[in-house]
Amino acid sequence: MKVVVIGAGPAGLMAAGTAKADEILLIDGNEKVGKKLYITGKGRCNVTNDCAPDKLVSNIVGNPKFFISAANAFTPADTVELLNSFNVKTKVERGGRVFPLSDKSSDIISALEKYAVSNGAKILLGNKVKYAEKSGSGFCVYLQDGKRIACDKLIVATGGKSYPATGSTGDGYKIAESFGHNVVTLRPALVPIKLKDDVRSLEGLSLKNVSVTLTDGKKSFSKFGEMLFTSFGVSGPVVLSLSSLINSFDVSRFKLSIDLKPALDSETLDKRIVSDFGQNINRQYKNSLSELLPKSLIPYIIEKSGIPPELKVNSVTRDMRRSLVYLLKSLTFSVDSLMPLETGIVTAGGVDVKQINPKTMESKIVSGLYFAGEVLDVDAFTGGYNIQIALSTGFSAGAHITQ
Ligand SMILES: Cc1cc2nc3c(=O)[nH]c(=O)nc-3n(C[C@H](O)[C@H](O)[C@H](O)COP(=O)(O)OP(=O)(O)OC[C@H]3O[C@@H](n4cnc5c(N)ncnc54)[C@H](O)[C@@H]3O)c2cc1C
């Protein structure tokens, strides 16, 4: 039996390392395997999360139920064990994020490549699959250089459509459609948010321990943690996660509000301001917020609060203070759009999981055809969960292919 795997990212490498067949051919359009993996986790590769399968599933945004079987078949602990077996030690950081001890994503790539090669997989690089079709009981795969490869089983692990320079250009969706599969509308996920407001003066400002809420009046999503202002809007972990929750709605109807002091209720925050003002009652308002806020945010807040900057703090009225407290608890901006698909960390949408067997990743409409990784309509928050999706679904597909 011959198996062809299209795409040598984590999903394809895992499938090629797990399948049992006379011949396994792993094809990638790039000159090396795992090109996207190389840039993950800022070059350190947050390969999985140190958590049980149920927590892994609870961090899946798109189609968590579909993913339950795969998450249990190949767990985050299995990922760590596999890496250890290829002499890659790992460490756990904030939020359970697992990284190679060396901080080098290349170590993860070479372990996965060894896993595939030690299983007898041959790797064909620098040659894109143009299309594939059914041929008798198997398949025929057509390459960019004109070659034609016949196989019995075909695994499509071509990734999503974000960061196309890494080779993930969305070809798998076309292949899926050519076999009659439905592809759920692609949407950017884990992507920065563009604001209608001009926030250029805040560019580069990073806020820690804030609570960010996105609401369109009916639906509301909140996350606590770290965020960042950019020249066009906002980014950072909290914002990226929230983007995945709103990407199927009309985002231009959403307001984004930041609670800059989530640990203090309004009354306590007011008392704190009164106390700060009391330190020097002759100080001007514009010079009175340095204990409370990061330096680069102060001019913005002063302007938005509407309180005259030169006013002495002992002349700031209770109503003025109240509006300042309101602003600090709910600094609000209007959302313009999500940044484009190509700039997302992952692609939401993809091969419709209703047409895929969740235990085996095999197509329910074409027998012998499998899908694994980001090409499927499954995506997760940040924290190592997306690579784990690729590894777990790649494993499920590979494990179903036996002699
Ligand atoms: C900047 C960035 C940082 C990230 N950091 C993390 C992180 O730290 N942790 C985490 O969990 N996730 C992270 N992700 C997400 C993670 O990289 C992906 O979810 C994961 O790589 C998906 O794996 P995959 O195997 O499905 O697809 P990919 O890794 O995209 O691999 C698909 C492969 O298929 C090949 N291919 C595509 N079409 C064809 C074709 N027609 N013929 C031949 N080959 C083809 C491509 O060249 C590519 O090598 C990050 C993503 C980005 C962009």
Side-chain angles (χ1 to χ4, degrees), residues 367-385:
S367 111
L369 175 66
Y370 298 76
F371 293 91
E374 203 177 313
V375 71
L376 289 163
D377 181 16
V378 182
D379 64 292
F381 290 127
T382 57
Y385 306 108

Side-chain angles (χ1 to χ4, degrees), residues 58-342:
S58 72
N59 278 282
I60 305 294
V61 184
N63 292 306
K65 276 197 187 140
F66 169 83
F67 184 59
I68 292 172
S69 287
N72 283 283
F74 193 83
T75 67
D78 293 329
T79 298
V80 170
E81 199 183 312
L82 178 81
L83 293 171
N84 288 344
S85 74
F86 287 97
N87 296 320
V88 176
K89 299 234 162 37
T90 56
K91 59 180 170 182
V92 181
E93 295 192 1
R94 186 177 47 89
R97 291 168 165 80
V98 177
F99 292 88
L101 194 60
S102 63
D103 282 331
K104 285 186 187 144
S105 55
S106 52
D107 283 357
I108 303 289
I109 299 169
S110 73
L112 291 174
E113 185 174 2
K114 280 179 197 155
Y115 178 61
V117 171
S118 64
N119 189 41
K122 300 260 177 315
I123 303 179
L124 176 63
L125 295 171
N127 214 335
K128 271 198 147 208
V129 170
K130 274 174 69 186
Y131 62 99
E133 64 186 19
K134 194 92 190 98
S135 164
S137 62
F139 300 88
C140 203
V141 174
Y142 296 85
L143 301 182
Q144 198 177 25
D145 69 358
K147 274 201 202 82
R148 185 175 163 272
I149 297 169
C151 62
D152 303 292
K153 309 267 182 191
L154 180 63
I155 303 180
V156 180
T158 44
K161 212 181 171 178
S162 58
Y163 280 67
T166 61
S168 321
T169 47
D171 292 0
Y173 306 122
K174 286 182 224 141
I175 295 173
E177 280 172 338
S178 73
F179 281 109
H181 273 269
N182 182 32
V183 173
V184 175
T185 310
L186 305 182
R187 305 172 315 272
L190 300 180
V191 73
I193 296 177
K194 189 171 177 214
L195 298 174
K196 288 176 185 151
D197 313 69
D198 182 355
V199 291
R200 280 174 297 179
S201 68
L202 301 177
E203 184 180 354
L205 170 65
S206 161
L207 298 173
K208 290 202 172 82
N209 301 324
V210 291
S211 173
V212 180
T213 301
L214 277 166
T215 180
D216 66 353
K218 290 184 196 137
K219 293 165 288 296
S220 176
F221 306 98
S222 293
K223 292 251 168 216
F224 173 85
E226 193 176 339
M227 62 162 287
L228 174 78
F229 281 95
T230 66
S231 59
F232 54 80
V234 282
S235 186
V238 167
V239 170
L240 296 181
S241 290
L242 285 167
S243 74
S244 292
L245 294 170
I246 62 165
N247 64 13
S248 49
F249 304 114
D250 176 2
V251 296
S252 67
R253 298 166 80 102
F254 278 79
K255 298 270 184 214
L256 180 145
S257 75
I258 307 168
D259 182 348
L260 293 160
K261 297 286 164 192
L264 307 178
D265 62 24
S266 297
E267 203 182 318
T268 317
L269 179 56
D270 186 45
K271 281 192 189 136
R272 160 85 198 268
I273 293 169
V274 170
S275 153
D276 283 2
F277 284 4
Q279 304 282 320
N280 185 348
I281 53 171
N282 288 319
R283 197 184 275 163
Q284 289 179 323
Y285 167 59
K286 67 177 181 189
N287 298 323
S288 68
L289 299 176
S290 54
E291 296 293 313
L292 204 60
L293 296 172
K295 203 170 159 205
S296 55
L297 184 57
I298 294 174
Y300 194 86
I301 293 290
I302 300 272
E303 197 203 318
K304 289 278 164 194
S305 71
I307 303 171
E310 321 285 330
L311 196 67
K312 297 230 167 82
V313 289
N314 66 347
S315 301
V316 172
T317 65
R318 179 193 278 208
D319 277 353
M320 286 173 173
R321 245 179 26 238
R322 222 173 251 161
S323 61
L324 174 61
V325 167
Y326 184 78
L327 188 64
L328 298 179
K329 294 291 290 173
S330 175
L331 181 62
T332 303
F333 303 90
S334 298
V335 173
D336 178 79
S337 53
L338 299 180
M339 291 302 279
L341 186 63
E342 289 69 23

Side-chain angles (χ1 to χ4, degrees), residues 6-11 27-30 36 39-41 46 128-129 157-159 163 166-168 171 345-346 373-374 384-387 390:
I6 314 175
I27 305 172
D28 201 292
N30 291 328
K36 185 173 273 180
I39 58 164
T40 59
N46 173 199
K128 271 198 147 208
V129 170
T158 44
Y163 280 67
T166 61
S168 321
D171 292 0
I345 299 290
V346 288
E374 203 177 313
Y385 306 108
N386 284 294
I387 294 175

